Amino acid sequence: MNLSEELDKIFEEANRLIGSSVDEADLDKNKNEYLGKKGKLTSVLKNLASLSIEEKKTVGQKANDLSKSLEEIVSKTRENLKTKGFREQSEKEWFDVLRPLGETEPGTLHPITKIQYEIEDIFTSMGFEIWDGPEVETDFNNFGALNFTDDHPARDMQDTFYLENGNLLRTHTSAIQVRALRKLKPPFKIIGPGRVFRYEEVDASHETSFYQIEGMVVGKDISAGNMLYTMEVLLSKVFEKEVKTRLRPGFFPFVEPAFELDINCQVCGGSGCSVCKQSGWLELMPCGLVHPNVFKLNGLDPKEWTGFAFGLGLDRLVMMKYGIHDIRYLHSGNLRFLEQF
């Protein structure tokens, strides 16, 4: 048997033995048996001296190629053994690394989310559709299409978060009403829940980020009576009792006439507290009949269509429902507080 044939035989043996290694220790042992300093492949190469120059080149090159191939087989076998080891370990000692240590209780919905779903159910039972919209809006959708003048104070940077590209973080979900006016054919009834942003000084009843549900009804001969009845039905369903309210004149560019619907403070029962600023009342729901200019700006004829619009602060409603005296608790991330709900 010449050296070339002997090399082929050694490679065949090594390939079979290395590939059948049962673990990494066995693999290292088999590797050394063929590729180590005293291995079989090394021993064969010591006989190269007896060959001619041409044979040395041929056999030497073949020996190098076989050595590289065996190194690749060793590397692949090692990876397979590691994968097999991880799989066997995971089957025997499975552990979810994302699971918190110790006993845990199932989570629940945030109180704002709970009240939002509850209100959505109430409105859908009255035939309203639920609409959504982006939190980053254009100035036109947030202000212009709602009859805000160019010099209206709400456009000031001290009230609104503007972005470098000219867009803004929506200050109200009324922008969803604008989108509905352009896409839906009257008559229609929609609500638009979502998060809004305002450059506010934070206190017990104000936050820079909070949640609203705004709604709009468009049809024939819609009156303030229709609006007030809808609001009273909503509040009686949410609080599961008749709630004392008052309607007072207000000003909002997108409705005329405009009203402020206040609710008797449910935290203090009307006696006065930090939430209602000692007045016994809390501004809850700005509302009114849709301004004719809003219909015109969004492609509808105000002589043909009428409607009402309203906005409801979810955070404040949660505070009233559960007797929470500081809005900042709702966004604090304090689980000891939130787990009560």
Side-chain angles (χ1 to χ4, degrees):
M1 181 184 298
N2 59 37
L3 284 179
S4 180
E5 293 173 341
E6 193 171 350
L7 285 173
D8 288 335
K9 182 179 179 182
I10 290 174
F11 178 79
E12 185 179 344
E13 291 176 356
N15 185 16
R16 183 174 61 254
L17 190 62
I18 290 171
S20 62
S21 301
V22 295
D23 54 35
E24 290 199 58
D26 188 36
L27 176 62
D28 290 335
K29 171 177 159 296
N30 293 333
K31 175 185 176 183
N32 288 332
E33 184 174 345
Y34 290 92
L35 296 172
K37 291 182 179 181
K38 297 182 180 181
K40 293 182 179 181
L41 185 59
T42 307
S43 299
V44 171
L45 294 178
K46 290 179 181 179
N47 297 320
L48 285 177
S50 62
L51 301 177
S52 66
I53 295 176
E54 289 301 321
E55 288 177 322
K56 285 180 181 178
K57 289 182 180 180
T58 303
V59 175
Q61 183 62 49
K62 183 173 185 177
N64 285 334
D65 292 342
L66 293 180
S67 177
K68 289 180 181 179
S69 295
L70 287 177
E71 288 288 358
E72 292 176 0
I73 293 171
V74 169
S75 178
K76 185 176 180 180
T77 303
R78 195 180 302 278
E79 288 300 317
N80 291 338
L81 288 172
K82 286 182 179 179
T83 302
K84 179 183 177 183
F86 287 141
R87 184 169 59 251
E88 291 176 349
Q89 183 177 7
S90 67
E91 291 173 354
K92 295 178 181 177
E93 304 175 12
W94 183 85
F95 178 72
D96 184 357
V97 295
L98 298 179
R99 183 177 181 179
L101 296 176
E103 295 184 4
T104 59
E105 296 182 0
T108 186
L109 294 175
H110 191 283
I112 293 177
T113 305
K114 290 179 66 175
I115 203 75
Q116 176 182 325
Y117 289 170
E118 185 177 340
I119 291 174
E120 287 178 355
D121 288 342
I122 294 170
F123 275 114
T124 53
S125 72
M126 292 191 286
F128 283 72
E129 293 182 23
I130 302 172
W131 272 56
D132 194 12
E135 294 180 353
V136 176
E137 267 291 5
T138 63
D139 182 271
F140 181 76
N141 280 353
N142 196 79
F143 292 125
L146 291 166
N147 200 37
F148 282 80
T149 58
D150 291 340
D151 60 351
H152 192 280
R155 291 179 182 264
D156 194 277
M157 292 180 65
Q158 300 306 311
D159 290 283
T160 301
F161 293 104
Y162 282 91
L163 307 180
E164 291 182 354
N165 62 3
N167 291 333
L168 50 85
L169 300 183
R170 65 184 180 191
T171 59
H172 46 200
T173 53
S174 300
I176 297 176
Q177 299 174 4
V178 170
R179 293 174 179 272
L181 280 168
R182 293 179 192 164
K183 291 185 178 181
L184 294 178
K185 183 178 179 181
F188 64 79
K189 296 187 285 186
I190 64 103
I191 58 170
R195 182 168 62 163
V196 299
F197 308 84
R198 293 185 189 173
Y199 195 173
E200 295 272 13
E201 182 175 349
V202 177
D203 58 26
S205 57
H206 294 85
E207 260 284 8
T208 57
S209 173
F210 53 98
Y211 289 80
Q212 287 184 337
I213 280 188
E214 299 208 17
M216 175 178 280
V217 173
V218 176
K220 301 283 189 178
D221 302 321
I222 303 297
S223 69
N226 301 132
M227 177 191 71
L228 188 58
Y229 176 77
T230 303
M231 302 300 98
E232 289 178 345
V233 169
L234 169 66
L235 294 175
S236 65
K237 293 286 187 180
V238 170
F239 290 98
E240 300 177 344
K241 64 179 181 180
E242 293 297 322
V243 180
K244 189 176 180 181
T245 62
R246 69 179 185 185
L247 202 62
R248 55 189 174 85
F251 171 74
F252 304 100
F254 38 89
V255 287
E256 179 61 40
F259 305 98
E260 294 275 12
L261 189 145
D262 298 338
I263 184 173
N264 189 241
C265 183
Q266 302 296 298
V267 175
C268 64
S271 61
C273 65
S274 61
V275 175
C276 61
K277 292 182 169 54
Q278 312 303 323
S279 69
W281 295 90
L282 191 73
E283 176 189 321
L284 185 68
M285 198 180 307
C287 53
L289 300 184
V290 180
H291 198 292
N293 286 347
V294 173
F295 283 131
K296 291 178 182 178
L297 287 165
N298 292 282
L300 293 178
D301 184 356
K303 294 181 180 179
E304 181 180 3
W305 301 106
T306 56
F308 67 82
F310 58 89
L312 174 64
L314 289 180
D315 302 60
R316 290 187 177 182
L317 188 59
V318 170
M319 294 170 70
M320 294 295 98
K321 183 175 177 67
Y322 296 111
I324 300 169
H325 60 81
D326 196 318
I327 193 173
R328 290 167 289 193
Y329 292 160
L330 296 173
H331 303 284
S332 67
N334 187 333
L335 295 181
R336 290 182 299 174
F337 167 76
L338 294 174
E339 68 184 3
Q340 300 176 76
F341 308 97

